[in-house]
Amino acid sequence: MSIPLGGVCEPGTTRLNKTGGWRTFRPVYDYDKCIKCKLCELLCPDMAVLPRDDGFFEFDYDYCKGCGICANECPTEAIDMVLEEK
Ligand code: SF4
Ligand code: SF4
């Protein structure tokens, strides 16, 4: 039996793995507190913070793993982490 030396990963395959299914807590915006500083978008490790046309942001819950980094780093506490209900 021959064993291959290495594997080959096709680009873009992480799109198929909807990591939002791992989430225990879900981030939720309070737009009244948001100052549109973009920190949540910049710091999200999963690129799950999406800009909207009005300058605010929304979460892509297909890929947000609920790590809470965005909520921890938001300077105005405009993001709450709430228990996921499934
Ligand atoms: S980090 Fe907070 S204040 Fe800044 S854009 Fe995100 S939600 Fe708004
Ligand atoms: S909870 Fe984590 S993965 Fe989800 S949007 Fe915030 S920083 Fe990104």
Side-chain angles (χ1 to χ4, degrees):
M1 183 175 85
S2 67
I3 299 174
L5 291 176
V8 176
C9 290
E10 298 295 330
T13 54
T14 53
R15 282 183 180 277
L16 303 175
N17 187 14
K18 295 197 172 174
T19 50
W22 305 352
R23 196 175 49 241
T24 303
F25 288 90
R26 153 186 298 247
V28 177
Y29 280 118
D30 178 347
Y31 291 115
D32 290 337
K33 294 182 182 174
C34 178
I35 57 172
K36 303 179 181 177
C37 72
K38 302 184 179 185
L39 263 183
C40 51
E41 180 191 26
L42 290 170
L43 296 177
C44 174
D46 293 293
M47 298 184 72
V49 174
L50 307 176
R52 301 192 328 192
D53 289 342
D54 61 3
F56 290 108
F57 297 87
E58 62 188 17
F59 295 110
D60 183 342
Y61 291 117
D62 280 345
Y63 299 101
C64 165
K65 292 200 288 277
C67 67
I69 290 174
C70 55
N72 280 330
E73 299 302 324
C74 173
T76 62
E77 299 183 352
I79 303 172
D80 286 325
M81 299 300 293
V82 300
L83 189 62
E84 190 73 55
E85 293 181 20
K86 293 184 179 172

